[in-house]
Amino acid sequence: MTNAIAEAADQDVVFVIGSNTTENHPVIGSLIRQSHKKGGKIIVVEPRRIPLCRDADVFLQIKPGTNVALLNGLMNVIISEGLQDQKYIDERTEGYAELVEMVKDYTPEVVAEICNIDAEDLKKAARLYAKADKAGIYYAMGITQHITGTEGVMSVSNLALLCGKIGKYGCGVNPLRGQNNVQGACDMGCLPADYPAYQKVFKDEVREKFEKAWGVKLPSKPGLTVTEIMNAVEEGKVRGLYIMGENPMMSDPDLAHVEKALKKCELLVVQDIFLTETAALADVVLPGSSFAEKDGTFTNTERRVQRIRKAIKPVGDSHADFEILSDIMAALGYGNSFRTASEVFDEIAKVAPSYAGMSYERLENGGIQWPCPTKDHPGTPILHVGKFSRGERALFKPAPYRPSAEAPDAEYPMIFTTGRILYHYHTSTMTGRVQGLMNISGHSYVDINPADAAKLDVVSGDKVRVTSRRGSLVVDAKVTDTVAEGVLFMPFHFTDGPANVLTNTVIDTTAKIPELKVCAARIEKA
Amino acid sequence: MLNVTIDGIKLQVPEGTTILQAAESVGVEIPTLCYLKDLTPEASCRMCLVEIEGMPKLFTACSTPVAEGNVIFTKSEKVIAARRSVLDLILSTHNADCFSCAKNGECQLQNLCYEYGVEKTSFAGVKNNYPIDDSNEFFTYNPQQCILCQRCVQVCQNLHGEAVIGVVNRGFKARVSTPFQNLLKSSNCVSCGNCVSVCPVGALLPKSKERFRSFETKKVHTTCTYCGVGCQLDLIVKDDKVVGAQPLYGPANKGLMCVKGKFGYNFINHKDRLTKPLIRKDGELVEAEWSEAITYIADKIKAIKAESGPDALAGLSSARCSNEDNYVFQKMMRAAIGTNNVDHCARL
């Protein structure tokens, strides 16, 4: 997030796109509703009628996969009605002319057709957002999990820049990260081309710095991403895979393909707290520890580094994860090992400039938002104030709309989309073991519109078979108008109907993110 | 700025500051039961009554703004007597069966009655006999313990934003309920438990698998392990086991939490937890010692690296784990193995 979470409760307009906020980031959802109570408006752009629509002033129920067209349409209206922040554009941006040229084709009528919405609602949303003083855009995987994920993010950024809403309180571009420490895992350099704090592995001066810090020669070639690793394993190019706290056998697209790859692996090490679907395939399983059993830090979606503290001893003979890794490093002949979490954090602060000013002592009072470059720096609640990371001016990145990889056809006539629900978390290894949560929601299902259900002669609770080009599942039907006609939604949490059996592995070529939000499917009574 | 004197302490406060806020700013504690930060004062419990010099009646500190020149007494005889009466009245409809109440030891009403020497009520008030609603998966509501402070109603309506509960009926018949007085299970309640977290007495109680008294537990301040909001909470620990969770007023969560963070902690001590390393032998995963497992892994990694180079190895780290775990993971891949083949589930 460019801005702080607390600002969500103090907005003139909240613009939510591709995020089911009250279910997946419930407390931010509550803050948005607080803002609404104080008179703030809410715009929701979503393929589903999510709970936040109850409070929304404008709800645009778009066809899945058409975010970029929608955002270009908003910019078209804003520019044609002269609602852009010209002063901000002139002083703080470049590439505006190209943006104007690109969005001019996206008239409300054209966009209404692509997105299957009302052109008047589009205009209303554009005016509300552009005219507001404090207006933040909040998005999640509904923007990113498409082959056009990168373009989706660029379009969000273009819209915010066009209205002068980056680098200001109550505004910004605010991705809501789905996991407790996904921000931190990225910050720490668990990315194939990045050392901690996004320092690039292929830059000589950066590599030299880390070679000095770590006392070894380091590789200069960027590594492989998750999806590429799975392919390389299947091709025999990657022979050994170490997986810590992940469950690709539930979370990755096309599970049949993942299983084939993992079974081919010569050495599969899985370090986790439960025997997950992935761990069950491993050659060695190591018992890690949960957040309650170790000291450390998480970095939340607003870049705030906060402490976790050891509340109980590790369960059984499990060990804190960094200790296990430290032991492996020692066994591999790499000398230095870490004994405490704060020792590790101190090394992080030495090599990661955005964390340089932090220490456990400083984190005692409410955490610190990076960048925090020095010991006396208070942290940075709002990014890009007065200056961008690339310099004085931000660059518009005009992105034309491209349709999703799979369009419905005669054989697979429905659009299939996936997501999470309030009562479960990711692959449900944790929430699946909480009886109350399982009592409320314990089985997989598919949401289907009443009109589509009537055609199949299906009512809620009936078994239906959902089939895509990758696989086929039988689950309960849930008849609901939260999805539009022609659209199916399935949560990906459940082992008794894992949605990712059906999803498409096609990826965004820049960010390598799979298109989990759209594929074509067929549904029939089982 | 306004000049005010509280218990002899002179201070200046901005216009609009309540007496309670002004007192807090100089460390003068005023007892409250219904007050919640971030909300319009309910002023229903009357515990925070204070005396203002020259005024005939007492004022609720939570809802009264300071006026220029106020001289305020928070512990005068008149104030203490009034607070005793308030507690006496609250007790008259409260089922003060503290022995069997799970809140015993951290009940704010019990603590205040002890502090003010109110042992039992002097009124023969009508006690309601509404049944306990235990239909929710995670908590119970007992109207007989409820003191109608309406903290739960305020949180549900104004902070969480669901507006599932409100006060129905009047007088002795009043209670907190859902529309049409249905069971919680049949309402729109999403079980966030924020009502339970703010209840000052034992009316709203978590359904805990363990029986414990607050004085048997310790609280450990930490960050929630579920989504990316980073809610701050106390884990409640008894005998090296997590038995509860209580939200704290963190910079992002402002005292709120969701159903997963509040009630989804039983996985921590679950019987399915992995407790020993496992190595596959003859197709089966069998228990092993740590030293054996570590040596096994290191030998295999070395062999693959010797035959096919470091890029024949790859690692997937975790957005679930801490920064420290992730830092050491990528350092292991890069410095100890020699490959940049390291990624995690950010895209999933």
Side-chain angles (χ1 to χ4, degrees):
Chain A
M1 289 174 70
T2 59
N3 289 50
I5 289 172
E7 294 169 37
D10 184 24
Q11 312 254 291
D12 300 321
V13 168
V14 175
F15 182 4
V16 174
I17 178 166
S19 153
N20 183 1
T21 323
T22 58
E23 293 206 57
N24 295 330
H25 300 86
V27 168
I28 295 180
S30 292
L31 298 183
I32 289 173
R33 282 181 165 157
Q34 287 179 22
S35 175
H36 180 64
K37 287 234 166 226
K38 295 176 206 159
K41 307 279 187 207
I42 298 178
I43 302 166
V44 174
V45 178
E46 262 282 326
R48 293 190 296 145
R49 181 173 286 278
I50 57 170
L52 203 54
C53 294
R54 189 194 74 195
D55 311 88
D57 297 83
V58 187
F59 170 42
L60 295 161
Q61 189 164 18
I62 59 167
K63 189 176 126 188
T66 61
N67 293 316
V68 174
L70 187 284
L71 290 161
N72 285 341
L74 291 172
M75 290 188 263
N76 176 295
V77 174
I78 289 166
I79 294 169
S80 64
E81 297 190 6
L83 300 173
Q84 74 276 22
D85 186 339
Q86 200 58 50
K87 186 164 178 283
Y88 186 93
I89 294 166
D90 294 344
E91 289 172 3
R92 297 207 56 196
T93 69
E94 55 191 275
Y96 179 57
E98 290 83 346
L99 181 83
V100 173
E101 181 59 27
M102 195 277 301
V103 302
K104 82 174 188 307
D105 296 337
Y106 293 87
T107 60
E109 294 68 32
V110 167
V111 171
E113 184 68 28
I114 297 172
C115 302
N116 196 23
I117 54 164
D118 184 337
E120 286 309 309
D121 286 342
L122 179 81
K123 290 181 195 165
K124 195 174 160 194
R127 289 167 195 149
L128 266 180
Y129 175 74
K131 287 180 183 171
D133 186 22
K134 289 177 289 182
I137 308 177
Y138 296 81
Y139 70 89
M141 294 304 206
I143 283 282
T144 53
Q145 285 177 339
H146 296 278
I147 52 163
T148 53
T150 305
E151 286 117 297
V153 174
M154 285 172 178
S155 307
V156 166
S157 162
N158 290 339
L159 173 64
L161 287 172
L162 179 69
C163 299
K165 291 185 179 23
I166 294 185
K168 285 182 191 166
Y169 175 85
C171 297
V173 171
N174 301 300
L176 305 178
R177 312 217 59 170
Q179 310 197 49
N180 57 328
N181 199 34
V182 63
Q183 184 68 54
C186 294
D187 296 349
M188 291 305 109
C190 289
L191 294 169
D194 297 78
Y195 289 119
Y198 310 96
Q199 302 172 86
K200 301 296 169 194
V201 297
F202 48 80
K203 286 193 176 162
D204 291 341
E205 69 277 15
V206 171
R207 196 173 59 255
E208 280 157 21
K209 169 183 156 177
F210 278 90
E211 286 178 342
K212 205 172 152 202
W214 292 346
V216 285
K217 276 278 170 208
L218 293 168
S220 57
K221 197 179 95 190
L224 305 174
T225 62
V226 180
T227 347
E228 291 166 336
I229 288 170
M230 288 300 169
N231 291 335
V233 170
E234 210 186 345
E235 290 161 16
K237 287 180 188 156
V238 164
R239 298 170 54 196
L241 182 57
Y242 197 124
I243 302 180
M244 173 174 80
E246 284 213 30
N247 191 10
M249 276 300 295
M250 282 294 286
S251 61
D252 289 23
D254 193 0
L255 297 179
H257 166 80
V258 176
E259 183 171 359
K260 210 168 133 200
L262 293 179
K263 280 187 170 162
K264 215 181 153 192
C265 209
E266 281 171 56
L267 172 68
L268 178 62
V269 180
V270 175
Q271 182 172 318
D272 212 310
I273 61 173
F274 292 109
L275 193 72
T276 60
E277 290 74 12
T278 307
L281 301 176
D283 299 297
V284 189
V285 178
L286 301 174
S289 52
S290 81
F291 81 118
E293 296 143 56
K294 59 191 174 192
D295 285 312
T297 54
F298 290 159
T299 305
N300 76 354
T301 191
E302 58 170 353
R303 300 167 280 105
R304 186 183 299 278
V305 184
Q306 302 186 112
R307 280 296 313 276
I308 56 166
R309 294 178 182 85
K310 185 173 174 172
I312 59 171
K313 291 200 287 284
V315 170
D317 194 15
S318 68
H319 290 179
D321 294 86
F322 76 88
E323 289 172 11
I324 301 172
L325 301 168
S326 232
D327 288 346
I328 303 243
M329 285 170 83
L332 288 170
Y334 185 85
N336 101 339
S337 61
F338 298 105
R339 279 178 309 277
T340 65
S342 75
E343 264 178 41
V344 181
F345 195 83
D346 290 343
E347 184 171 313
I348 295 168
K350 273 192 200 124
V351 298
S354 51
Y355 283 64
M358 298 184 204
S359 63
Y360 276 12
E361 201 185 348
R362 281 201 71 194
L363 294 177
E364 278 304 310
N365 302 317
I368 297 174
Q369 286 171 277
W370 64 253
C372 173
T374 56
K375 296 278 176 216
D376 54 0
H377 192 286
T380 311
I382 304 173
L383 295 178
H384 315 305
V385 179
K387 190 173 182 297
F388 293 96
S389 34
R390 71 186 287 271
E392 292 297 309
R393 288 168 182 270
L395 183 63
F396 282 108
K397 293 279 238 176
Y401 161 73
R402 289 188 290 137
S404 305
E406 271 191 2
D409 55 20
E411 202 182 345
Y412 300 101
M414 308 291 282
I415 298 178
F416 179 80
T417 187
T418 67
R420 291 182 183 167
I421 61 169
L422 173 64
Y423 300 102
H424 285 285
Y425 179 75
H426 219 57
T427 70
S428 76
T429 48
M430 300 187 299
T431 51
R433 289 179 170 87
V434 178
Q435 196 54 50
L437 296 172
M438 288 302 279
N439 290 348
I440 294 175
S441 179
H443 299 284
S444 193
Y445 62 86
V446 62
D447 281 342
I448 179 170
N449 182 274
D452 292 322
K455 280 182 229 158
L456 296 175
D457 188 25
V458 156
V459 296
S460 284
D462 283 356
K463 294 283 178 205
V464 286
R465 175 171 289 283
V466 187
T467 308
S468 80
R469 288 184 174 86
R470 269 74 46 194
S472 185
L473 286 175
V474 174
V475 291
D476 287 353
K478 196 169 148 193
V479 180
T480 169
D481 62 2
T482 57
V483 287
E485 251 185 279
V487 177
L488 302 172
F489 168 83
M490 193 187 290
F492 67 87
H493 307 294
F494 299 101
T495 45
D496 68 349
N500 283 321
V501 163
L502 307 176
T503 46
N504 196 348
T505 51
V506 62
I507 56 173
D508 170 307
T509 51
T510 310
K512 318 276 171 145
I513 192 166
E515 188 158 69
L516 296 172
K517 293 297 185 204
V518 182
C519 76
R522 179 172 72 231
I523 184 165
E524 57 222 326
K525 203 166 177 173
Chain B
M1 297 296 270
L2 303 168
N3 295 294
V4 56
T5 309
I6 302 177
D7 291 348
I9 304 168
K10 288 189 193 314
L11 66 152
Q12 286 197 323
V13 295
E15 203 151 332
T17 307
T18 63
I19 295 174
L20 186 66
Q21 289 163 341
E24 259 176 11
S25 73
V26 287
V28 172
E29 212 173 300
I30 297 175
T32 59
L33 282 170
C34 70
Y35 174 77
L36 280 177
K37 205 170 165 172
D38 292 338
L39 286 171
T40 311
E42 186 72 22
S44 65
C45 77
R46 322 305 287 174
M47 255 328 279
C48 65
L49 287 171
V50 294
E51 186 177 355
I52 303 176
E53 196 174 69
M55 302 287 198
K57 69 180 188 92
L58 302 178
F59 291 83
T60 46
C62 68
S63 62
T64 310
V66 168
E68 173 57 34
N70 276 169
V71 177
I72 296 160
F73 302 99
T74 74
K75 293 177 185 64
S76 66
E77 270 179 42
K78 200 171 159 189
V79 167
I80 302 294
R83 287 185 193 155
R84 279 207 186 101
S85 304
V86 166
L87 289 167
D88 195 347
L89 283 162
I90 291 173
L91 271 187
S92 74
T93 58
H94 177 74
N95 180 358
D97 206 354
C98 300
F99 266 20
S100 60
C101 181
K103 199 83 172 197
N104 188 11
E106 57 177 353
C107 171
Q108 290 170 45
L109 178 62
Q110 190 187 48
N111 291 347
L112 286 170
C113 284
Y114 183 71
E115 185 184 338
Y116 284 83
V118 180
E119 286 176 16
K120 54 179 186 251
T121 183
S122 53
F123 301 100
V126 178
K127 289 193 167 56
N128 75 60
N129 57 358
Y130 291 123
I132 294 171
D133 181 350
D134 67 351
S135 65
N136 185 282
E137 288 291 338
F138 302 103
F139 62 89
T140 54
Y141 171 61
N142 181 354
Q144 299 179 33
Q145 305 279 19
C146 180
I147 60 170
L148 293 168
C149 69
Q150 302 192 42
R151 274 188 181 184
C152 53
V153 175
Q154 283 259 34
V155 156
C156 189
Q157 292 194 353
N158 297 319
L159 294 183
H160 179 63
E162 285 290 345
V164 174
I165 50 173
V167 174
V168 296
N169 301 332
R170 291 291 175 269
F172 288 115
K173 286 185 176 163
R175 68 161 164 162
V176 174
S177 191
T178 61
F180 310 108
Q181 306 191 39
N182 288 327
L183 291 175
L184 278 161
K185 193 182 179 177
S186 316
S187 72
N188 290 332
C189 173
V190 294
S191 307
C192 69
N194 288 309
C195 55
V196 179
S197 299
V198 297
C199 182
V201 295
L204 283 156
L205 286 174
K207 286 181 178 173
S208 180
K209 284 169 88 177
E210 323 291 327
R211 286 174 76 84
F212 58 88
R213 291 295 189 198
S214 64
F215 47 79
E216 296 174 308
T217 63
K218 64 167 181 175
K219 288 179 176 169
V220 181
H221 178 177
T222 193
T223 304
C224 181
T225 191
Y226 285 108
C227 77
V229 177
C231 296
Q232 296 297 291
L233 71 146
D234 271 338
L235 284 178
I236 299 165
V237 178
K238 187 201 170 190
D239 299 338
D240 214 35
K241 199 171 173 190
V242 176
V243 296
Q246 179 73 3
L248 296 169
Y249 198 88
N253 66 308
K254 308 277 180 199
L256 299 176
M257 236 153 76
C258 80
V259 59
K260 296 186 285 287
K262 173 78 181 168
F263 299 117
Y265 55 81
N266 278 333
F267 74 90
I268 297 168
N269 294 93
H270 196 277
K271 62 174 173 46
D272 291 352
R273 279 288 300 273
L274 289 166
T275 56
K276 291 283 280 183
L278 306 170
I279 298 179
R280 191 172 297 277
K281 290 175 184 167
D282 301 325
E284 295 289 313
L285 284 169
V286 292
E287 285 194 358
E289 291 308 314
W290 274 103
S291 55
E292 187 191 352
I294 300 280
T295 310
Y296 180 95
I297 294 166
D299 288 350
K300 285 265 189 180
I301 290 176
K302 282 184 203 161
I304 292 173
K305 192 172 154 182
E307 282 173 32
S308 310
D311 287 341
L313 293 149
L316 297 181
S317 192
S318 177
R320 322 278 319 111
C321 288
S322 69
N323 286 326
E324 292 72 6
D325 297 334
N326 277 289
Y327 177 81
V328 179
F329 191 92
Q330 58 86 38
K331 187 174 174 183
M332 173 182 82
M333 295 308 296
R334 292 185 163 119
I337 295 176
T339 180
N340 283 315
N341 287 342
V342 51
D343 201 2
H344 72 287
C345 51
R347 302 170 186 85
L348 302 169

